Amino acid sequence: MAGAESSAEGHATGAEKLRIYWTKGEGAAKIQWGLPGDWARCVALLTPHMGERAKGYCELRHVEATGMSTAEHSKVLHAGGKG
């Protein structure tokens, strides 16, 4: 439903800008998606702003940033694979 969040490339809404920040921008660099503890870092960074909603938001951003859920990512990491 990206059309509802941005009318055209370069005209992102506030919510879309935050999503990009946390998945591809400076926020993503802080979280270090794909490394062990990424979801926990996301939750720690976002809880002061979102409260308990941060957990669900970070799960969604994890899927977007890594292509897998936190459960899938954990299995890959514990199997010795790259995640």
Side-chain angles (χ1 to χ4, degrees):
M1 215 162 131
E5 293 180 3
S6 62
S7 57
E9 199 65 37
H11 294 92
T13 65
E16 179 70 3
K17 287 178 184 177
L18 285 172
R19 185 186 64 77
I20 292 167
Y21 175 87
W22 290 113
T23 56
K24 300 175 184 172
E26 292 178 33
K30 294 175 185 179
I31 294 167
Q32 300 177 346
W33 294 114
L35 296 179
D38 53 3
W39 180 83
R41 284 188 294 277
C42 180
V43 171
L45 288 165
L46 289 170
T47 295
H49 307 287
M50 301 181 78
E52 286 295 311
R53 295 177 301 145
K55 292 177 181 178
Y57 186 83
C58 289
E59 177 67 24
L60 293 172
R61 300 296 66 87
H62 190 281
V63 171
E64 183 177 354
T66 68
M68 63 183 93
S69 71
T70 54
E72 293 168 320
H73 190 209
S74 180
K75 287 178 186 176
V76 169
L77 291 174
H78 288 99
K82 292 184 178 179

